[in-house]
Amino acid sequence: MKTRKILLVLALSLGVFATSCSNDDNEGETIVPIQGKYNLRQTGIINPINGQEELVNAPQNQEGCPGDYLDLRLSNTAVMGDYQGTQCTLTETTGTYVRSHNDLTITVGNVSTTSDIMNLTNKELKIKNKVTGVITVYSR
């Protein structure tokens, strides 16, 4: 009777172990779809002295206007919305984007910027520019 219990526990343990160790791991890459409209929320840097993020409310957002945004569409079109002035005039800039693993490259005209995707959830996109190190946080 004791042997049966031990074998049952062993079989269950092996079953749990076998199902948790599959070869379809995503190697740290997020699997949330990147398409969607993101509202600009914060910008900042990583402090070189203490290694901590220093984020502030995005100064690009015009006070009294809706926040600027980034719209990543299924067609790989990137639309950046920028509200300016007392009339909250919207200027949209259109380009393309490519996601490769945890890199996001946005191209407008002949200018491309590549960022590391630091966090991507159903509620947030946080990217860090590979050249400048500037962190940008968007919310859905």
Side-chain angles (χ1 to χ4, degrees):
M1 183 70 155
K2 197 176 203 181
T3 306
R4 279 189 177 171
K5 286 183 181 180
I6 291 174
L7 286 174
L8 180 61
V9 169
L10 182 62
L12 288 173
S13 297
L14 285 174
V16 169
F17 178 75
T19 58
S20 67
C21 293
S22 65
N23 61 357
D24 62 351
D25 291 338
N26 62 5
E27 298 176 10
E29 180 180 339
T30 181
I31 57 175
V32 173
I34 198 163
Q35 293 84 12
K37 185 173 181 181
Y38 299 92
N39 298 306
L40 178 61
R41 195 174 76 218
Q42 295 177 306
T43 61
I45 60 167
I46 294 179
N47 186 315
I49 296 170
N50 62 18
Q52 300 294 314
E53 288 182 8
E54 294 181 355
L55 300 173
V56 297
N57 290 334
Q60 298 92 323
N61 286 337
Q62 179 74 32
E63 189 174 324
C65 297
D68 294 350
Y69 63 86
L70 173 63
D71 189 1
L72 301 176
R73 300 181 178 167
L74 283 172
S75 61
N76 285 60
T77 300
V79 178
M80 290 148 282
D82 180 25
Y83 291 95
Q84 293 184 357
T86 57
Q87 299 296 317
C88 296
T89 305
L90 174 63
T91 303
E92 287 189 327
T93 306
T94 303
T96 59
Y97 76 93
V98 175
R99 178 184 179 185
S100 177
H101 303 288
N102 277 340
D103 287 345
L104 175 64
T105 302
I106 298 177
T107 304
V108 177
N110 293 328
V111 179
S112 293
T113 56
T114 301
S115 300
D116 287 320
I117 299 172
M118 299 175 69
N119 190 36
L120 175 60
T121 66
N122 290 328
K123 296 182 181 182
E124 179 181 87
L125 170 64
K126 182 190 291 187
I127 57 176
K128 179 178 158 192
N129 186 297
K130 286 190 175 226
V131 175
T132 64
V134 172
I135 298 170
T136 307
V137 182
Y138 297 92
S139 61
R140 287 193 202 207

